[in-house]
C-alpha cells in the first residue's frame, strides 16, 4: 500500500520541525555571538562542551570545506530522492519515515544557510581536551542520526527477509 496523506504529513512535519528548530537556533547564535566567539553555558562541562559561533563552508562537522556548493546540490538531490523513495514505501515503515524527515530537514537547513549567508552556521562545540574539538549544528546531528536509523532499519529489514521461514 502506498503512503497516504498521513504518511506524507508525518514525513513533512518531522522535516519541518527539524528545519524550524535548526534555523531558530542558528538565528539565536548569529544574533548573540560574533563569529569565533565562544561561551560556556554549563561551567562544569566547559572543557567538554561549549557554544562557538563558527562559519562552515564544507560538509557536516567541517569536512570538505572547499565543496560547499557541490554539497548543497547533493543535499537537495538526496532530499528529492528520499521524497521519491517515500512515495514508494510500504505504509508500515514509520521509523524510516521519521528518519527520512530528519535527514531532509537537516539537509535543507544547511542548504538554507549556504544560500542565505554563504556558509553553514555551526555552534555545538564538543571537545575532548588534547584529542578532538569539533563544531557542528542541530542539522548535522539530525542528518547523522537519521542516516544511522535508516541503516539500522534497512539492515533489520534485510535480515528479516533473509531468515528462513518455518512451515
Amino acid at each position: 500500500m502506498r503512503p497516504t496523506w498521513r504518511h506524507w504529513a508525518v514525513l513533512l512535519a518531522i522535516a519541518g520541525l527539524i528545519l524550524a528548530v535548526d534555523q531558530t537556533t542558528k538565528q539565536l547564535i548569529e544574533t548573540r555571538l560574533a563569529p569565533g566567539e565562544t561561551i560556556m553555558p554549563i561551567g562544569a562541562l566547559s572543557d567538554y562542551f561549549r557554544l562557538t559561533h563558527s562559519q562552515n563552508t564544507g560538509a557536516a562537522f567541517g569536512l570538505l570545506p572547499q565543496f560547499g556548493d557541490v554539497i548543497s546540490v547533493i543535499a537537495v538531490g538526496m532530499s528529492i530522492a528520499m521524497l521519491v523513495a517515500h512515495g514508494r514505501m510500504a505504509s508500515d515503515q514509520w521509523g524510516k519515515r521519521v528518519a527520512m524527515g530528519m535527514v531532509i530537514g537537516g539537509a535543507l537547513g544547511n542548504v538554507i544557510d549556504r544560500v542565505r549567508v554563504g556558509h553553514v552556521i555551526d555552534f555545538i562545540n564538543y571537545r575532548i581536551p588534547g584529542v578532538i574539538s569539533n563544531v557542528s549544528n542541530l542539522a548535522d546531528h539530525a542528518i547523522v542520526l537519521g542516516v544511522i536509523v535508516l541503516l539500522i532499519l534497512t539492515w533489520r529489514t534485510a535480515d528479516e527477509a533473509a531468515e528462513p521461514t518455518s512451515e
Side-chain angles (χ1 to χ4, degrees), residues 29-113:
I29 291 300
E30 276 186 301
T31 59
R32 301 209 170 141
L33 295 177
E37 187 177 356
T38 297
I39 60 171
M40 289 78 152
I42 304 170
L45 297 177
S46 64
D47 287 343
Y48 309 100
F49 174 73
R50 301 171 180 197
L51 296 179
T52 302
H53 183 171
S54 178
Q55 299 175 343
N56 177 5
T57 58
F61 308 104
L63 301 172
L64 304 171
Q66 62 276 29
F67 293 104
D69 292 339
V70 172
I71 292 164
S72 290
V73 170
I74 291 169
V76 170
M78 288 304 299
S79 296
I80 292 168
M82 286 189 170
L83 290 172
V84 170
H86 177 267
R88 298 176 179 171
M89 283 173 49
S91 61
D92 64 343
Q93 299 290 310
W94 290 102
K96 286 183 179 179
R97 196 164 274 114
V98 169
M100 287 175 142
M102 293 173 69
V103 173
I104 292 168
L108 295 180
N110 284 341
V111 169
I112 287 170
D113 286 1

Side-chain angles (χ1 to χ4, degrees), residues 6-28:
R6 287 186 185 109
H7 299 108
W8 285 102
V10 167
L11 175 79
L12 297 175
I14 297 293
L17 179 65
I18 296 294
L19 186 59
V21 171
D22 173 64
Q23 290 297 298
T24 299
T25 56
K26 290 173 178 175
Q27 186 66 37
L28 287 170

Side-chain angles (χ1 to χ4, degrees), residues 71-155:
I71 292 164
S72 290
V73 170
I74 291 169
V76 170
M78 288 304 299
S79 296
I80 292 168
M82 286 189 170
L83 290 172
V84 170
H86 177 267
R88 298 176 179 171
M89 283 173 49
S91 61
D92 64 343
Q93 299 290 310
W94 290 102
K96 286 183 179 179
R97 196 164 274 114
V98 169
M100 287 175 142
M102 293 173 69
V103 173
I104 292 168
L108 295 180
N110 284 341
V111 169
I112 287 170
D113 286 1
R114 286 190 182 95
V115 170
R116 189 174 63 82
V117 294
H119 56 267
V120 175
I121 299 156
D122 286 340
F123 60 93
I124 301 169
N125 187 349
Y126 295 111
R127 305 164 46 91
I128 300 174
V131 178
I132 190 170
S133 176
N134 189 280
V135 185
S136 58
N137 60 51
L138 294 177
D140 295 340
H141 293 267
I143 293 166
V144 170
L145 182 59
V147 168
I148 289 169
V149 170
L150 281 171
L151 288 173
I152 290 169
L153 293 175
T154 300
W155 285 332

